[in-house]
Amino acid sequence: MNYSSKLIEEAVQALATLPGIGKKTALRLALHLVKMDPEWTERLGTALLDMRRNIQFCQDCHHLSDGPLCQICADARRDHSLICVVEGIRDVMAIEETGQYRGLYHVLGGVISPLDGIGPEALHLDSLYQRVAQGEVSEIIMAISPTIEGETTIFYLSRQLQSHPVKISVIARGVSFGGELEYADELTLGRSIAARAPYKAEGA
Amino acid sequence: MNYSSKLIEEAVQALATLPGIGKKTALRLALHLVKMDPEWTERLGTALLDMRRNIQFCQDCHHLSDGPLCQICADARRDHSLICVVEGIRDVMAIEETGQYRGLYHVLGGVISPLDGIGPEALHLDSLYQRVAQGEVSEIIMAISPTIEGETTIFYLSRQLQSHPVKISVIARGVSFGGELEYADELTLGRSIAARAPYKAEGA
């Protein structure tokens, strides 16, 4: 494509390196910014640069943070005896969105996947062991995707932590609320039946 | 959404002002940048800021430009007696992509659309009249979408220019090459038959 402008060309090429954004979309975005007030581009450009230059990872849980400790770890009102172990940052955000959890997190930064060359040493495990060793933690909740790699990671972690007096639990798996049984996959449906629970009426 | 970081939140909100990018996509893009080397974000942020701060519009044809004159108008090898009148910047890029045109352009910045409150005074017309009045131009090619507003604009412009000794032409309209006749709309098909041309064998 001939952009007739090196400035536009460089902006389009930089935008097109983003995932899911091709050359055509990048051009549309660049021309949108040219059409809008310059303040929009100033805000976007400085927000991106500010973010990348100043973003940190929480020294306790490895979640995104504006300082050494993230807002969640720094919040004294949260239950510091509960740690929810997740694969990534977006899992923290998804669980926070539910408003159902008031403990802390620990972001592993991935799951054990020998096929991809990811062993336990590539994950944030030492800092988790340290947090557990400090003795304040009573329960570790594994909120990791029920895939082969996820199950492997949960198994490995539970073995590593078995010498500590800490309860290890796994988030409930089964058919989705609102989901139709006939569309649930066989494995989920089969395990849902095997792991059936006594019925309790709501509010009873 | 609780981002646990003002830096991420500001970046996501700025990205989500772009057309076609929602909060979820914006978050995905922001986390992608956090994961990549800082140089990627530096390149993107500075490319956007550079573009917006320094981009100009060609003083002759109103196309995007890095200086007072765009690359096309400044190119002495192009035919300065031909001006192709288009609605917007993307039309110039599309025509340049074809490699079939070696004249100059004139970007109107829109079409006359009374319903949207866009009259002739909102378009870059005076500069077009000036270019024609300088006498170097022999033909004006109207490459404007065949919509009601486009046709109105072509009609208005042809009336304004009729006192000048300049040929006015319109790009060919008809069924698309490679298109199937049965899927062409009635108007296009009807006009294609009315505007039929003598058959010339290729290379004859």
Side-chain angles (χ1 to χ4, degrees):
Chain A
M1 178 71 88
N2 179 359
Y3 298 102
S4 313
S5 157
K6 284 276 165 223
L7 294 164
I8 290 281
E9 192 173 346
E10 175 57 23
V12 167
Q13 284 179 351
L15 282 167
T17 62
L18 293 172
I21 295 192
K23 282 273 165 84
K24 286 219 164 181
T25 307
L27 177 60
R28 194 162 50 83
L29 297 178
L31 292 181
H32 171 83
L33 289 174
V34 167
K35 209 166 60 184
M36 304 294 284
D37 283 339
E39 291 86 65
W40 288 87
T41 310
E42 291 290 330
R43 184 185 161 201
L44 175 60
T46 51
L48 293 179
L49 291 172
D50 268 5
M51 173 190 78
R52 194 62 188 87
R53 286 171 186 161
N54 300 317
I55 197 78
Q56 298 178 43
F57 292 94
C58 173
Q59 61 190 25
D60 276 8
C61 76
H62 308 282
H63 187 41
L64 290 174
S65 174
D66 294 347
L69 270 190
C70 75
Q71 287 179 6
I72 296 169
C73 286
D75 187 347
R77 292 165 306 175
R78 296 189 73 122
D79 186 346
H80 280 57
S81 70
L82 273 180
I83 291 183
C84 180
V85 176
V86 295
E87 189 179 334
I89 286 157
R90 272 191 278 186
D91 300 323
V92 175
M93 291 179 180
I95 295 173
E96 283 297 285
E97 269 308 272
T98 69
Q100 301 281 314
Y101 180 67
R102 298 297 300 160
L104 306 184
Y105 293 92
H106 193 86
V107 178
L108 294 182
V111 282
I112 297 171
S113 175
L115 282 178
D116 299 317
I118 302 173
E121 69 290 344
L123 307 180
H124 299 305
L125 293 181
D126 289 338
S127 50
L128 177 62
Y129 303 153
Q130 277 172 28
R131 291 174 78 182
V132 172
Q134 279 161 12
E136 210 193 339
V137 181
S138 64
E139 183 176 353
I140 301 276
I141 303 166
M142 304 284 185
I144 296 177
S145 306
T147 57
I148 292 177
E149 293 81 8
E151 299 287 356
T152 306
T153 309
I154 293 170
F155 179 74
Y156 178 87
L157 256 176
S158 66
R159 292 292 288 270
Q160 294 291 314
L161 292 167
Q162 66 186 0
S163 59
H164 295 279
V166 64
K167 189 176 147 194
I168 294 176
S169 55
V170 173
I171 56 166
R173 288 93 175 268
V175 289
S176 303
F177 286 96
E180 307 242 11
L181 274 205
E182 61 177 310
Y183 298 123
D185 64 289
E186 287 167 29
L187 188 65
T188 302
L189 195 54
R191 296 225 181 147
S192 286
I193 292 169
R196 64 194 177 276
Y199 179 70
K200 279 181 286 185
E202 291 278 326
Chain B
M1 177 71 87
N2 179 0
Y3 298 101
S4 314
S5 157
K6 285 276 166 225
L7 294 164
I8 290 281
E9 191 172 348
E10 175 57 23
V12 168
Q13 284 178 353
L15 282 166
T17 62
L18 294 173
I21 295 193
K23 283 273 167 84
K24 286 219 165 182
T25 307
L27 177 60
R28 194 162 50 83
L29 297 179
L31 293 182
H32 171 82
L33 289 174
V34 167
K35 209 167 58 181
M36 302 294 283
D37 282 339
E39 291 86 63
W40 289 86
T41 311
E42 291 291 330
R43 185 187 160 197
L44 175 59
T46 51
L48 293 179
L49 291 171
D50 269 4
M51 173 190 77
R52 195 63 187 85
R53 285 172 186 160
N54 300 318
I55 197 81
Q56 298 177 43
F57 292 94
C58 175
Q59 60 191 23
D60 276 7
C61 75
H62 308 281
H63 187 41
L64 291 174
S65 175
D66 294 347
L69 271 190
C70 76
Q71 286 178 6
I72 296 169
C73 288
D75 187 347
R77 291 165 304 173
R78 296 189 74 121
D79 186 347
H80 280 56
S81 70
L82 274 180
I83 291 182
C84 180
V85 176
V86 294
E87 188 178 334
I89 286 156
R90 269 190 280 186
D91 300 323
V92 176
M93 291 179 182
I95 295 172
E96 283 297 287
E97 267 312 271
T98 69
Q100 299 283 315
Y101 180 67
R102 298 297 300 161
L104 307 184
Y105 293 92
H106 193 87
V107 178
L108 294 180
V111 282
I112 297 171
S113 174
L115 282 178
D116 299 317
I118 301 172
E121 70 289 345
L123 307 180
H124 299 304
L125 293 181
D126 289 338
S127 50
L128 178 61
Y129 303 152
Q130 278 172 28
R131 292 175 78 182
V132 173
Q134 281 164 10
E136 208 193 340
V137 180
S138 63
E139 182 176 354
I140 301 274
I141 302 165
M142 304 285 186
I144 296 177
S145 306
T147 57
I148 293 176
E149 293 81 8
E151 298 288 355
T152 307
T153 308
I154 293 172
F155 179 75
Y156 178 87
L157 256 177
S158 65
R159 292 291 289 269
Q160 294 289 314
L161 292 169
Q162 65 185 359
S163 60
H164 295 281
V166 63
K167 188 175 148 196
I168 294 177
S169 54
V170 172
I171 56 165
R173 288 94 175 267
V175 290
S176 302
F177 285 95
E180 307 242 11
L181 272 205
E182 59 178 313
Y183 299 123
D185 64 290
E186 289 167 29
L187 188 65
T188 301
L189 195 53
R191 297 225 180 149
S192 285
I193 292 169
R196 63 194 177 278
Y199 178 70
K200 280 183 286 187
E202 291 277 328

